[in-house]
Amino acid sequence: HGFHIAGVALVALGITLVSLSTFINPASSASATSSSASVAGKMFGISLCVTAQVFQASMLVYEEKIMGQYTIPPLRVVGMEGLFGISFGIILLVGLNAFSIESTPAAVYQLQHSTPLLIAVVGSIFSIAIFNFSGVTVTQQASAVARSTIDVSRTILIWAVELAVGWNTFNSLQLVGFIVVATGTLIYNRMLVVAA
């Protein structure tokens, strides 16, 4: 459908505008911060994000394919993905500990001696579980693309919280980009109908 193409195109344009705000920074207060990071470092960071999105998109498309072939409850899909993630994480941690890149005993020590950190980790686990269950349900009921557009839109909430607590500075190009992302999401999911 035309509205699907328009919605995805707007989301892609919005993400591009937000990414460009790294280089084109109209916020004068943020210009000192942005000049400290090299262009190569910024490009590397953006390329890591793009690579992660390619893997995420592949997983979502595969997930949609599997759920189309088999009748699997969303909670079971989340559980299977979680078991795979835990298995992969344990293997990765063994390697990282062997090369002294990571220290699992130090992490456990920090968790045992910091209640706020423990609460944050437990809260994160439940938050991710609920988010993944909701995402798999959206994939099952709608599509992987619908889930992706909604997923990108949650970045708007994160950005707003960062601004509210002072972790980020206001950037008008990011605002425009996020408005375009939100509009694309609304158009794709038929919450905003534009006459042809």
Side-chain angles (χ1 to χ4, degrees), residues 6 13 26 36 60 64 93 115 130 159 165-166 171 174 184 193:
L13 175 64
S36 64
L60 293 179
E64 183 177 18
L93 271 178
T115 304
I130 292 168
W159 179 67
V165 298
N171 183 311
Q174 286 179 343
V193 179

Side-chain angles (χ1 to χ4, degrees), residues 2 10 28 46 51 68 77-78 115 119 133 136-137 157 182 186 191:
L10 284 172
S28 59
I46 290 173
T51 303
V77 173
V78 172
T115 304
I119 291 170
F133 174 74
V136 170
T137 303
L157 179 63
L186 292 173
M191 298 173 92

Side-chain angles (χ1 to χ4, degrees), residues 75-91 132:
L75 196 56
R76 180 172 290 169
V77 173
V78 172
M80 291 184 331
E81 289 174 355
L83 283 175
F84 175 79
I86 288 172
S87 303
F88 185 75
I90 288 171
I91 292 168
N132 286 341

Side-chain angles (χ1 to χ4, degrees), residues 100-166:
S100 299
I101 296 170
E102 185 61 62
S103 174
T104 301
V108 171
Y109 177 84
Q110 290 175 355
L111 284 172
Q112 290 173 337
H113 292 86
S114 174
T115 304
L117 180 60
L118 180 62
I119 291 170
V121 168
V122 171
S124 178
I125 289 169
F126 282 105
S127 170
I128 291 168
I130 292 168
F131 172 76
N132 286 341
F133 174 74
S134 301
V136 170
T137 303
V138 168
T139 301
Q140 186 181 48
Q141 299 298 318
S143 70
V145 179
R147 177 180 177 182
S148 294
T149 60
I150 294 167
D151 187 32
V152 167
S153 297
R154 92 187 138 110
T155 311
I156 299 168
L157 179 63
I158 294 167
W159 179 67
V161 169
E162 285 180 346
L163 288 175
V165 298

